[in-house]
Amino acid sequence: MRKCNMIYSLIIFLLFGEFTSSRAAFRPPPGGNFNVGVVVDEGSAMGKVVRSCVTMAVFDYNERPNGTRIHLHVRNSEGDPLLALTAVIQVCIEEVYRLQYAAQHLLENNKVEAIFIMPETSSEATLLAILGDKAKVPVFSFSPLPSSTQHPYLIQVSEDESTGLKGVTAFVAAHKWKNVIIIHDQPAGDAMKALSYLLNTLQEDNNVRVVHVSTLSPLTEDNRIIEEELNKLKKMQTSIFIVHVSAPLAARLFQSAKTLGMMAAGYAWMVTDKTMDLFHTLDPEAIESMQGAVGFKSYVPNSPKLQDFTLRWKKEAAYAMELNVFGIRAYDAVWALGKAIRGSANISDSLVLHSKFAGLSGQFELLDGKLVSNTYAVVNVIGPGEKRVGFWTNLSGFPEKNIGSIIWPGPSLATPKDTQIRRLRIGVPVKKGFNEFIAVSEDNQTGKTTATGFCVDVFDAAIRILGYEVPYDFIRFVVLDDNEPSQGNYNDLIYQIHVQKFDAVVGDTTFTSNRSSYVDFTLPYTDPGVGTVARLGNTGKWFFLKPFTRDLWIVTVISFIITGFTIWLIEHERNEEFQGSPAQQLGTILWFTSSTLVYAQRERLLSHLSRFVLCIWMLVVFIISSSYTATLSSLLTLEQIQLAKGDYIGYRFFSQGIIFNNTNFADTKLIRYISREDYHEALSNGSIGGIIDEIPYIKSFLAKYPSQYALIKTTSTTNGFSFAFQKGSPLVAEFSGAIAQLREEGKLKELEDKWFNKEEALLPQETDGPNVKTLDVDSFRYLFLVSGISKAIAVMVFLWYMLCKKLWIYNCIIRIASRGNLPLMLRYLFPIKPNTINGVHATSPV
């Protein structure tokens, strides 16, 4: 390949080194020849038609009097780009020799340009476009690939691929199809841009899902390769196909499709102009296999001028072939060139890039080197030919009532659905335990398999949302059963889809990354994650003491006693309710302090000091009792769950590989079980300390035993249950949308309530399990400190009272008080009442 590239570069260098230097000064004399190089593949149908039409156009143009004559240099490319380039070089070298012969004359009259009219192949167009740019020679191309600003001398006389593909996408949107499959030639260079345009237009602009893009080599001649590809597409169940391939490849493609039964009722095939513009070149067998296909082809309006030319062409053509759009536009392109020759002194700056006139093809218009063509005919392949059923324009799309009735493959008048629904083979697991998810039975007489359960109800509810019938048959797959041998595990069940034994699997199947490598999953319809369940423990006789530590209980009891003693000390001398025998006084102290717990103390306090102490103490009691109640509630719900570090853990028989991938449980601590009843028995007899399983199974277990066990931990390590389908199945997107709708409308919750109708004992999710902290002395350190300080202040003030009564200052204070001169604050510090001392009216503290 590298050697070929070097050859190309060398040839182009030699050519341009001589050709461009000599042509710059050439200007042909009036009435001289204008040399045009024509490079065609004379072995192809389009090449033959283009050459004959170009020849006829040049003859008609040269018949005009008093004008520059066009002289053709025809070379056969034989479909090989290198031969095409060699042919062009040969034409150019011949022109160089002629130019050298008349060098002086050329320098004075520089009017000669070389125009190359090209066939349709993109490889030839690309090479010769580069040549045209270097030599500043306009190159006419019949390639459907759009000319770009990179090749300003490339003139495109065929519609852009993107224009025709836009019409196809509009047809898909008009029929409200949401799933399509694209079949196209092997892309190369700019051809990939057209495919990208098609994908973007379908998916982004029209919300159409491209289920699969199938690539076929245009050189494929082995029908077995085509049939293998079609077999793969047939299993995807999408019935809408867009075919964008060459005409010879399309013939083999449709013959294989008919053999495989894909040209039957329910299928829709849309064929682009890449095939339909050469439809007449196909043999009758190929046309017969395309019955019911809808095609888009370039539209050429009928006119007397075109009719006359067609009759003449049929007489003059040396081969039996119909005139096609490429030949008609080749004829018009020659006249566009001729008009530019007459209208400009220099072709490089002429009107050839901007031309407009009435030609054989109707209004022939070139704008910036591109053919302006906005109308396509929509045709239906019927019988030995095609029937026009409407038009599509780039400006207005499909005019109202423009598309007539279409006979689809089959033949059928019913518009196909975008999903070809055949009777699905759905695998269902036969197992023991957790039958509320799926339970499978078989009729001994008919052999028909039926299934019930939560998973089946969700599947049926999703089908009802789809809006169309999805016929299916359940097929048993034994996972675990006492009556018959196992056919494998759940991974083996899912793998049956990959080996095409099943079309789908319905059951308690978990969406995993490994399984998704060979099947497609819908959205999950259950909660994701794994949960851990433990039994509820026995609280014990002294459980009520657990909220406080032993030190806190001791400090609290001592605080109660000190508070009662402090109030008694202040009140007992003058308050009769705190007097009596020692036993009565002790009972009063204990009763008064205890009654403060419920704010029911009945003793009346006389001293402001004791009231002060009681106020602070009531605040302490309120805080301590509230904290005790909250902690006890938490312990009653969490601490009672018994799951010790060394306990054995139970798990479901099928779930080890899914559940324990991200856990640290040792294999020696794991015990396998099958059913909810097995879980219950093992937990109740102490064989295991807890179970770990996926959330759906945990919900089912707790629904049956809500008062004995509780969920203590969850982790998001699984993705929930999903329905599995074959890779590329359009039903995946359909069912995913239906499941999302069921969830949004609350239907999934209703189905869960139907099958799991008891409220689960679900506890707050703690990532590290239950961890309620009991309260200790440090929790109330400052509270007890405030209470102690208040008692100390009250006792100190009281003792000061007592001391003052024994000292001379007491009598002084009494005298001052008797005169009414005692300050207000001292009156509060020294509560006094009238008294008589030695016949003198006085006061005394209380």
Side-chain angles (χ1 to χ4, degrees), residues 430-479:
V430 178
K431 61 186 178 61
K432 292 178 61 178
F434 292 98
N435 291 328
E436 60 276 8
F437 288 103
I438 187 166
V440 181
S441 60
E442 186 176 29
D443 191 313
N444 294 329
Q445 295 181 351
T446 64
K448 182 178 180 181
T449 299
T450 58
T452 59
F454 171 70
C455 300
V456 178
D457 281 0
V458 173
F459 184 75
D460 289 338
I463 289 177
R464 288 192 293 271
I465 290 180
L466 296 183
Y468 54 85
E469 182 182 0
V470 181
Y472 61 84
D473 293 315
F474 286 132
I475 302 176
R476 304 169 76 253
F477 186 90
V478 180
V479 178

Side-chain angles (χ1 to χ4, degrees), residues 35 40 60-61 71 82 123 163 320 334 339 343 355 414 422 458 544 592 644 676 731 742 755 767 769 771 793 834:
N35 292 276
V40 295
D60 292 345
Y61 180 81
H71 180 62
L82 183 58
S123 54
T163 305
V334 171
K339 292 178 180 296
S355 180
R422 54 185 173 81
V458 173
F544 69 91
F592 179 84
R676 297 185 299 182
L731 289 177
L742 288 173
W755 290 96
T767 56
N771 187 22
I793 293 174

